[in-house]
Amino acid sequence: MMQLPADLQRTLWRELEQLERMRRMPYITSVEQIGIEKGIEQGKQLGSAVILLRLIERRFGPPSEAIRERIAQADPDTLLHWSERILDAQGLDEVWH
């Protein structure tokens, strides 16, 4: 193994430290992390709502504003449940109950 002269060794370490600082991701606080996770969850909920609305439209025709509001207010588990029920429902009332 070869040893670098001291001045080159210092230069190498400075450049390595600079490279590490440039590539390092900024610290995300716990509050920011909670916000990110909440945004992801809201995105999933929005996606589920959009899919359910499309399924309703395809199966039963355009949903009313009341149906749209009901879906917008639903939690992710309820949206999933309704999305499963629509597969066997003969009418829209069967989706909700």
Side-chain angles (χ1 to χ4, degrees):
M1 182 168 7
M2 182 174 111
Q3 182 144 0
L4 291 174
D7 59 330
L8 287 176
Q9 181 76 25
R10 283 190 298 275
T11 301
L12 174 64
W13 283 112
R14 273 195 309 269
E15 289 182 10
L16 283 173
E17 286 174 343
Q18 183 180 7
L19 179 63
E20 286 178 356
R21 277 194 301 272
M22 288 177 13
R23 300 187 99 200
R24 192 169 298 165
M25 292 192 56
Y27 175 71
I28 297 176
T29 67
S30 57
V31 173
E32 291 170 324
Q33 183 64 36
I34 290 168
I36 290 168
E37 290 171 4
K38 198 170 193 178
I40 290 170
E41 188 61 33
Q42 288 174 341
K44 287 179 185 176
Q45 184 172 357
L46 179 60
S48 297
V50 168
I51 290 170
L52 180 57
L53 285 168
R54 290 188 73 180
L55 290 171
I56 289 170
E57 184 165 2
R58 176 103 188 242
R59 192 99 198 268
F60 305 113
S64 67
E65 191 57 39
I67 298 293
R68 291 178 181 280
E69 185 61 31
R70 185 174 193 171
I71 290 171
Q73 298 300 320
D75 62 82
D77 289 335
T78 301
L79 291 171
L80 179 61
H81 180 71
W82 289 342
S83 295
E84 291 170 346
R85 291 186 58 98
I86 200 169
L87 297 173
D88 299 317
Q90 297 301 312
L92 201 47
D93 285 341
E94 290 181 24
V95 173
W96 315 128
H97 305 292

